[in-house]
């Protein structure tokens, strides 16, 4: 189930062709221009995401995971290649792609939990306050923050703030939720709890998510598919096309974790 970039099986090609992807990223090269440097973040990266995928971008620091997510979000244009959602080329940010970041300060500190979640519904979806409140409250319930609905962000723990950010993103019912290391700044226990809650939310609503992480264990736990990127500049190294199946074939999730680690970090024949 670990497929190298060069060897995609005919069976997988057939499945990929049969199910029209929601998101197609084709041969995307992304660069930053600084006054003195041209930094190539990713080179010729291709992948596709289907509806209800829990798709993880995994790779070492600096391989361009966040940059790819920014480009899917419409915040950055590829220098070559294309990014399409349901056949439409992505040219700018839109309410069909909501982002959840790692930082705890992504909420507006002067607004309550309810007001933070309602804000994009009022501004981007242009809903009436009553409609926005109803939707916001239902997603606040889903992330188990009913009792904190009137609290201000500074009174919340890091995990609670991330739950608000997830509720805000999901309440917009985007085509794709883009999550950039959303649990990386949490303590280990809270991080595990948040991973479990994300999976419960997915069981409820089957939303489509692209999740960036550099934790192999986190990737295996939350995804159904994983794209492995090589170190800077990021190129596709392999794809785990069915994480559950790969875990079973490898015996355990721990065995798959070792295989992915070796693929990402070791030269052939070496193991740390
Ligand atoms: N604003 C920027 N200007 C110039 N170079 C940048 C900028 N942002 C990122 N880069 C460079 O682009 C490359 C990819 O960065 P990116 O943050 O996408 O990697 P990443 O895989 O998400 O890393 P991490 O796991 O550490 O967050 C790196 O070499 C980084 O230094």
């Amino acid at each position: 189930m670990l497929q190298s970039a060069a060897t995609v099986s005919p069976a997988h090609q057939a499945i990929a062709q049969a199910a029209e992807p929601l998101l197609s990223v084709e041969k995307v090269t992304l660069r930053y221009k600084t006054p003195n440097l041209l930094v190539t973040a990713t080179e010729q990266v291709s992948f596709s995401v289907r509806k209800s995928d829990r798709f993880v971008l995994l790779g070492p620091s600096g391989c361009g995971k966040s940059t790819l997510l920014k480009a899917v979000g419409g915040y950055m244009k590829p220098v070559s290649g294309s990014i399409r959602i349901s056949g439409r080329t992505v040219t700018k940010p839109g309410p069909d792609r909501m982002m959840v970041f790692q930082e705890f300060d992504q909420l507006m500190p002067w607004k309550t939990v309810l007001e933070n979640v309602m804000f994009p519904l009022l501004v981007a979806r242009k809903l009436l306050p009553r409609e926005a409140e109803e939707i916001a409250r239902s997603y606040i319930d889903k992330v188990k923050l009913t009792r904190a609905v009137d609290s201000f962000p500074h009174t919340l723990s890091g995990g609670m703030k991330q739950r608000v950010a997830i509720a805000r993103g999901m309440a917009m019912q985007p085509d794709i939720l883009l999550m950039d290391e959303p649990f990386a700044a949490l303590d280990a226990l809270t991080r595990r709890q948040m991973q479990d809650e994300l999976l419960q939310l997915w069981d409820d609503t089957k939303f489509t998510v692209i999740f960036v992480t550099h934790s192999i264990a986190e990737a295996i736990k939350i995804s159904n598919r994983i794209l492995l990127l090589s170190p800077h500049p990021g190129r596709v190294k392999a794809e785990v096309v069915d994480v559950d199946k790969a875990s079973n074939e490898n015996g355990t999730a721990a065995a798959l974790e070792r295989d992915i680690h070796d693929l990402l970090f070791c030269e052939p024949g070496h193991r740390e």
Side-chain angles (χ1 to χ4, degrees):
M1 275 298 131
L2 264 177
Q3 292 183 343
S4 77
T7 58
V8 178
S9 75
H12 180 235
Q13 278 175 0
I15 292 165
Q17 279 160 12
E20 177 65 24
L22 176 63
L23 171 75
S24 301
V25 173
E26 276 173 34
K27 297 190 173 172
V28 161
T29 297
L30 294 160
R31 286 205 184 105
Y32 292 99
K33 265 190 203 144
T34 68
N36 304 316
L37 282 174
L38 203 58
V39 181
T40 301
T42 69
E43 197 158 79
Q44 301 261 320
V45 169
S46 299
F47 62 91
S48 62
V49 176
R50 295 184 300 261
K51 201 168 178 329
S52 297
D53 266 343
R54 286 168 280 120
F55 192 90
V56 164
L57 296 174
L58 176 69
S61 187
C63 72
K65 305 181 291 295
S66 298
T67 306
L68 265 173
L69 210 62
K70 270 189 244 170
V72 172
Y75 297 96
M76 200 170 163
K77 275 201 180 132
V79 290
S80 64
S82 69
I83 301 176
R84 280 175 292 133
I85 292 190
S86 306
R88 285 171 281 114
T89 301
V90 167
T91 54
K92 57 180 190 224
D96 56 340
R97 286 148 287 140
M98 293 296 290
M99 288 204 66
V100 177
F101 299 95
Q102 178 186 144
E103 294 78 17
F104 295 155
D105 62 2
Q106 59 192 300
L107 305 176
M108 287 170 278
W110 61 92
K111 287 188 184 288
T112 64
V113 166
L114 179 63
E115 289 164 349
N116 264 287
V117 178
M118 282 175 66
F119 186 74
L121 292 167
L122 295 168
V123 174
R125 285 253 186 263
K126 305 208 184 316
L127 297 184
L128 294 171
R130 203 163 4 95
E131 290 173 302
E133 181 170 341
E134 195 180 321
I135 295 171
R137 282 188 186 275
S138 83
Y139 280 91
I140 291 167
D141 291 347
K142 280 193 207 299
V143 297
K144 302 189 176 86
L145 283 179
T146 311
R147 286 166 64 181
V149 75
D150 295 318
S151 304
F152 286 91
H154 75 276
T155 66
L156 306 177
S157 68
M160 290 165 91
K161 286 180 195 167
Q162 291 311 78
R163 285 196 192 101
V164 180
I166 291 168
R168 182 178 57 183
M170 288 189 68
M172 288 287 284
Q173 294 170 302
D175 289 341
I176 308 180
L177 191 64
L178 306 172
M179 304 184 90
D180 193 357
E181 304 212 43
F183 309 145
L186 299 169
D187 64 84
L189 205 64
T190 312
R191 186 171 186 165
R192 274 203 293 278
Q193 196 181 339
M194 296 289 294
Q195 292 163 353
D196 291 337
E197 286 180 14
L198 189 75
L199 288 173
Q200 277 166 23
L201 272 175
W202 186 87
D203 276 340
D204 280 355
T205 58
K206 304 285 190 285
F207 58 98
T208 311
V209 59
I210 305 181
F211 190 106
V212 161
T213 183
H214 54 244
S215 160
I216 300 173
E218 182 167 74
I220 292 172
K221 180 165 175 184
I222 64 150
S223 70
N224 67 321
R225 293 168 62 203
I226 306 174
L227 192 77
L228 286 89
L229 296 166
S230 64
H232 178 75
R235 297 188 185 90
V236 175
K237 197 149 195 187
E239 182 176 342
V240 186
V241 293
D242 184 336
V243 172
D244 279 346
K245 204 166 169 189
S247 292
N248 292 334
E249 278 173 5
N250 282 38
T252 59
L256 177 61
E257 193 174 331
R258 272 198 307 278
D259 278 0
I260 292 178
H261 177 273
D262 288 356
L263 199 66
L264 282 177
F265 298 107
C266 299
E267 293 301 320
H270 287 76
R271 177 171 277 186
E272 276 175 17

